[in-house]
Amino acid sequence: MLVDGTLKTAEAGDITVVDRGYLCDGEFVVSAGRVGIVTGVNTSLDLVKLSDGEPAAVVMSGVSPDRLRRVIELSLGDFVVSVSGSWLGRVVEVSANLNVLFDDGAVCKFIGDARSKKLRPVEADGRHPFRLGMNTRFYPGQRVTGIGASPAGIFKDCRWLNGYWKPSHKVGTISKVEMAGVLVYWIASPHCGTDQQLIQAFAPPAAYQHPNNLTFFCSAESDWGIGDRCFVRDKEACSSSSPSPSDVGNDHQPLVGALDKQDRSSSSGEARKKLVFRIGERRTRREQRRRAAFEQPLSVANTSTTADVLWQDGTRQSGAPSTSLTHFYITSVHEFFPELYVVDKAVIDEAGGQTGRVGLIRSVNFEDQSVAVSWFKQASNPDEGREDCTASVYDLALRRDPLVFYGQVVVRVLPSAAGCAQATITGVQAPSLGRKMAATDLSWVGRVVDLRDGRVQVKWGDGGTSMVLPHEISVVNGKYYSVLHAEMGTDWEEEDGGFDGLQDEEGEDGSADEDDDDSVDEDGTDSADENDHLVDENGTDSPGIDLRDEDGAAVTRTSRLGAIVQYVLRLAGVVLAQAMRYRPTDRLSSSSSSSSSTLAAATANVGAPALLTVGHDDTNNGDAIHATAAASATSDDDDDDSAAKGRSIADATGDEDQFRFPHFDVTQSPPDHHYIDNLDQGSNGGKKWVKAVHKQEWKILENNLPDTIYIRAFEDRMDLVRAVMVGASGTPYQDGLFFFDMHLPPSYPAVPPLVYYHSFGLQLNPNLYGSGTVCLSLLNTFGGEGSEVWLPTTSTLLQVVVSIQGLILNDKPFFNEAGYEALVGRPEGLRNALPYTENAYLLTLRSILHLLRRPPQGFEELVQDHFHRRGRFVLRACEAYLRGCIVGTLDSDARATEGSKEEGRRCSAGLRLALANVVPRLLTALAEIGAEGCDCDHLHGLRDMLVGPDDGRLCAR
């Protein structure tokens, strides 16, 4: 965009960046490989005055944005204070009125934004360039016309302040832009803090406000760009360098006087020509005088931005040129920065509880994934004793209550807030909310300007600055304004009357545009602490949740006849299941080639060869994992000899001993199944449903399961399935066990099964949420098309479990996240892929500890036997990583491969620090079940050799 607001297209290679004016406090930036936080921004602007037919003239240089105002005073997202001075809100909608001046002196008025959207700048040639920071699409002095085949028609129904509408009124000039009304989302008060429930309980001001009843506090985004229009607040400062409005339009007066003198001595023909020219000149002068009657904004011609940056290593840089900084997108939970509070992820006790001490980050070494941290004896008093040590980023979590950051808007926590909360809880109106706030008293609201040694420096609304502790302030709602607007709904229209019936300065009714083009950005990523239990996105239920069918009607109990039918069908299922239970199970696969051919047959999708989608196109796994469409066609009764329930897992794990836990079996449903209380039982689907489950799904699973997947169906609940899979070698999930509960709804297979992952609150993969949700296109929980999604005629449960094991539990899980496939081979991808893999491995070890303490019912024997046999390989992998091998590069015997120590790469010191804390607990747990090779005393010596004893340099636990 150019200084006059027009657009110009150019090749990216022909453009040189001279400034980045979008920087703001709290933004993450990167420069020469270093990542930091912007702690302060200094911007100066050069302003020009644009006149028709004349070159742009610079009137001010090096102007601070604080001396300027935009075309309208308030912008979307701005923070404002009520007229009483006791409420803080966010602007979520602004309605503006426009006056349009025509060449004949007629003036019409557009009330509200709805009709003004049918205007466009004359210079735009059909395009309407607009940047959010520009505040408004229109400004005084702008030439506009109507959109459509009849440009004059848009002006016909406007209110005419001078003159009347004519068909010739096709082009006019904006002479005035004013705010008509503002929609405010109230977010805080000095007495109720930022608790939205308390705020609503104590009746905040009306949502719709007249601009005169609001005081501007600060902008959420204050970036300035070329072509932005603005006015100078202190006009005297530029009076010497800018032309006076009274001088505008007088430039041609000497020329007119000369023409008059020449007319008296010229011939009559020449005089008539010059008279016509003089009349046209006078019209131009009148138009210029009319345009001079209103103030025209200046235009930003140049920006110059510098920033103060706090780097991860703890150093500070002042006045860094904005051209040396680029925005850095945080994609990892292990990106920490100095001066932030963190919580130590303490050892999980037997009851599954969690405690943690609080500390302050001093510096971060990203290459080593370690931080220097000061632990507090009392988090509320940073000065009372500290312990300095080095910790792993994998053992830390940001303290989010409160999470105070640069640039945030905060309010003081006053003593009266506690009384307000208590009054709300007890249902008694508080007799007093403390001292009454003066309309001009803004000492209770401020903005974070710095973080120093555990304290927060706040610049308050009254201009004062002070240092406070984090618990002495409350951070206000920082959601994007469109999200807040969506949360308001339409209740405010009923209470306040909305924008309909608004009175402008002339007493005219106004209206506002009800269309909101902004979409609400909803984060689809679940996150949960270890103790969280959430309802997952697959539609699983928990006690107290109403179950509803596809039409939204509440599920009702079946009728007496329906119950009898259901009983008969269930009995039939039991008989079939018992018949399967007593079938011979000693026909084992005799060779690895037989197992391989069986797996190939199970995973070959004849009908739909396209790969499934889990967030990226993983070509490494794509050759082996395909949608299982035609498995049922190749798995008939005469193929029973090709596979049996008691397959060996030797080929998959490198263990020569035979393990006789059946891969598929039918038992009684366990009470800890996630869907056990789901009343929407699949057997309600009738005889056809039972046949589909037994003849197709059970038979396919019995004959085609890979060696590292085990499944249990249930004779009393044919709609339920439980599966467990072993993590493959060469991945961070190696030798771990991963459990999934499935539910087949009555409409199955028209719809995919519901799948729940037993996560223990740990998110060890982008597609396996801590809440238990499994994000996979095949389950319709992730976007996909064609054969990537569930196909009722070809998709099967076998396809689901094989896809989870092959596509989700892979060697590079970071790139499973939607959109991150574009980061493969890029610096952002290289920076984050290895830390994510290391953390996935640590979380796998923690899930092993959970399983050893509390294995899912029906699989107790499998869990104990698996880790009894594979425990030594789990510990051998820990030893290899303690020696520096790259995570996810070991063979099936947990020994290093060629890729375990690539040149210039090795596992981080942070991983070794974290392993030093988890290995002793793992040793203890494996020893309790008598695991082979768990008496590895040399591991304790290895731990001290690599990371040092607990001598104060490391964080002791």
Side-chain angles (χ1 to χ4, degrees), residues 895-935:
R895 299 188 184 279
T897 62
E898 293 182 359
S900 296
K901 286 190 176 181
E902 298 179 7
E903 184 177 356
R905 294 186 63 201
R906 58 179 297 169
C907 75
S908 67
L911 174 66
R912 299 196 293 273
L913 286 170
L915 283 174
N917 293 317
V918 74
V919 165
R921 287 186 285 146
L922 192 60
L923 277 168
T924 302
L926 292 174
E928 290 177 354
I929 64 171
E932 301 173 1
C934 70
D935 53 345

Side-chain angles (χ1 to χ4, degrees), residues 458-470:
V458 182
K459 184 175 182 180
W460 302 103
D462 61 356
T465 303
S466 64
M467 303 293 292
V468 298
L469 292 173

Side-chain angles (χ1 to χ4, degrees), residues 643-705:
K645 292 184 288 183
R647 264 188 216 100
S648 169
I649 61 172
D651 296 334
T653 63
D655 195 343
E656 297 179 356
D657 296 333
Q658 297 294 313
F659 177 48
R660 294 300 183 92
F661 189 85
H663 280 261
F664 179 83
D665 202 356
V666 181
T667 63
Q668 293 293 318
S669 60
D672 66 337
H673 195 286
H674 184 73
Y675 299 101
I676 193 66
D677 295 326
N678 196 333
L679 301 179
D680 193 13
Q681 297 185 15
S683 56
N684 293 336
K687 189 175 181 179
K688 183 178 180 181
W689 182 93
V690 173
K691 182 179 180 181
V693 172
H694 173 254
K695 287 291 187 180
Q696 298 178 18
E697 297 296 353
W698 286 12
K699 197 171 187 64
I700 292 174
L701 292 173
E702 179 190 12
N703 295 324
N704 297 282
L705 278 177

Side-chain angles (χ1 to χ4, degrees), residues 436-514:
K436 183 178 181 180
M437 306 297 296
T440 57
D441 183 5
L442 299 181
S443 61
W444 60 276
V445 56
R447 198 164 192 175
V448 176
V449 295
D450 203 2
L451 303 175
R452 294 277 182 172
D453 200 28
R455 284 177 166 77
V456 184
Q457 185 178 21
V458 182
K459 184 175 182 180
W460 302 103
D462 61 356
T465 303
S466 64
M467 303 293 292
V468 298
L469 292 173
H471 68 269
E472 296 175 340
I473 56 178
S474 180
V475 180
V476 304
N477 193 330
K479 294 180 181 178
Y480 197 61
Y481 75 87
S482 61
V483 177
L484 299 178
H485 191 283
E487 290 179 359
M488 294 181 68
T490 58
D491 294 340
W492 66 273
E493 295 180 354
E494 299 176 359
E495 297 174 1
D496 305 334
F499 284 111
D500 295 332
L502 301 185
Q503 299 294 322
D504 59 39
E505 291 183 356
E506 287 77 17
E508 183 71 12
D509 289 347
S511 61
D513 180 23
E514 296 179 359

Side-chain angles (χ1 to χ4, degrees), residues 728-746:
S729 60
T731 72
Y733 311 107
Q734 182 168 345
D735 286 323
L737 292 179
F738 305 91
F739 284 83
F740 299 85
D741 287 348
M742 304 181 188
H743 168 62
L744 310 181

Side-chain angles (χ1 to χ4, degrees), residues 189 321 946:
S189 76
L946 292 180

Side-chain angles (χ1 to χ4, degrees), residues 367-582:
E367 295 295 330
D368 285 343
Q369 295 297 304
S370 62
V371 301
V373 60
S374 295
W375 298 111
F376 302 138
K377 290 185 177 180
Q378 291 185 1
S380 59
N381 188 3
D383 296 329
E384 186 176 340
R386 298 186 180 187
E387 177 190 354
D388 296 333
C389 66
T390 301
S392 169
V393 298
Y394 306 121
D395 289 334
L396 302 177
L398 281 177
R399 184 190 183 191
R400 298 188 177 275
D401 187 22
L403 177 58
V404 183
F405 209 57
Y406 293 92
Q408 288 179 330
V409 176
V410 297
V411 298
R412 293 184 191 269
V413 177
L414 301 180
S416 58
C420 177
Q422 183 63 30
T424 302
I425 293 173
T426 59
V428 179
Q429 180 68 29
S432 175
L433 292 179
R435 65 184 180 88
K436 183 178 181 180
M437 306 297 296
T440 57
D441 183 5
L442 299 181
S443 61
W444 60 276
V445 56
R447 198 164 192 175
V448 176
V449 295
D450 203 2
L451 303 175
R452 294 277 182 172
D453 200 28
R455 284 177 166 77
V456 184
Q457 185 178 21
V458 182
K459 184 175 182 180
W460 302 103
D462 61 356
T465 303
S466 64
M467 303 293 292
V468 298
L469 292 173
H471 68 269
E472 296 175 340
I473 56 178
S474 180
V475 180
V476 304
N477 193 330
K479 294 180 181 178
Y480 197 61
Y481 75 87
S482 61
V483 177
L484 299 178
H485 191 283
E487 290 179 359
M488 294 181 68
T490 58
D491 294 340
W492 66 273
E493 295 180 354
E494 299 176 359
E495 297 174 1
D496 305 334
F499 284 111
D500 295 332
L502 301 185
Q503 299 294 322
D504 59 39
E505 291 183 356
E506 287 77 17
E508 183 71 12
D509 289 347
S511 61
D513 180 23
E514 296 179 359
D515 297 330
D516 187 1
D517 296 334
D518 297 300
S519 59
V520 180
D521 297 329
E522 296 182 354
D523 192 358
T525 303
D526 286 335
S527 61
D529 295 335
E530 294 183 3
N531 300 321
D532 287 348
H533 179 74
L534 305 176
V535 178
D536 67 52
E537 296 179 1
N538 291 332
T540 64
D541 62 295
S542 61
I545 302 297
D546 291 334
L547 301 177
R548 299 185 178 275
D549 59 19
E550 295 179 356
D551 297 328
V555 176
T556 58
R557 294 182 178 275
T558 58
S559 64
R560 184 183 299 270
L561 178 60
I564 295 175
V565 174
Q566 179 180 342
Y567 172 78
V568 173
L569 293 174
R570 182 178 300 180
L571 182 62
V574 170
V575 173
L576 292 172
Q578 289 177 342
M580 294 182 63
R581 170 181 290 182
Y582 294 105

Side-chain angles (χ1 to χ4, degrees), residues 692-721:
V693 172
H694 173 254
K695 287 291 187 180
Q696 298 178 18
E697 297 296 353
W698 286 12
K699 197 171 187 64
I700 292 174
L701 292 173
E702 179 190 12
N703 295 324
N704 297 282
L705 278 177
D707 291 335
T708 53
I709 298 179
Y710 302 83
I711 286 183
R712 290 294 175 267
F714 307 108
E715 58 187 10
D716 60 327
R717 289 290 298 272
M718 293 183 65
D719 60 313
L720 303 183
V721 176

